[in-house]
Amino acid sequence: MTGVDLIFKVAAIGILVAVLNQLLVRSGREDQAMLTTIAGLIVVLLMIIEQISYLFETIKTVFNL
């Protein structure tokens, strides 16, 4: 996955979560809106953790660690 793909995926998830959050808040379901926001955050963090892991593997390979 390239950097641009990652940025677009994170942006798409952010937009989707924001829309869902607004819909749920306006319908009086604040608890579900909060859970949706937390779920979106966890998904994005998992995507970023995967890339950070790849970065560390690359650094270990470059420096022969």
Side-chain angles (χ1 to χ4, degrees), residues 5-54:
D5 290 339
L6 181 64
I7 291 170
F8 283 139
K9 285 182 181 181
V10 169
I13 292 170
I15 291 169
L16 180 65
V17 167
V19 169
L20 286 174
N21 190 6
Q22 288 299 315
L23 288 173
L24 290 169
V25 166
R26 291 182 191 263
S27 66
R29 299 178 179 178
E30 287 83 12
D31 294 337
Q32 290 177 351
M34 180 63 71
L35 289 176
T36 303
T37 303
I38 292 171
L41 179 64
I42 290 171
V43 168
V44 169
L45 286 176
L46 288 174
M47 291 169 52
I48 291 174
I49 286 172
E50 180 181 337
Q51 294 300 314
I52 290 173
S53 172
Y54 177 70

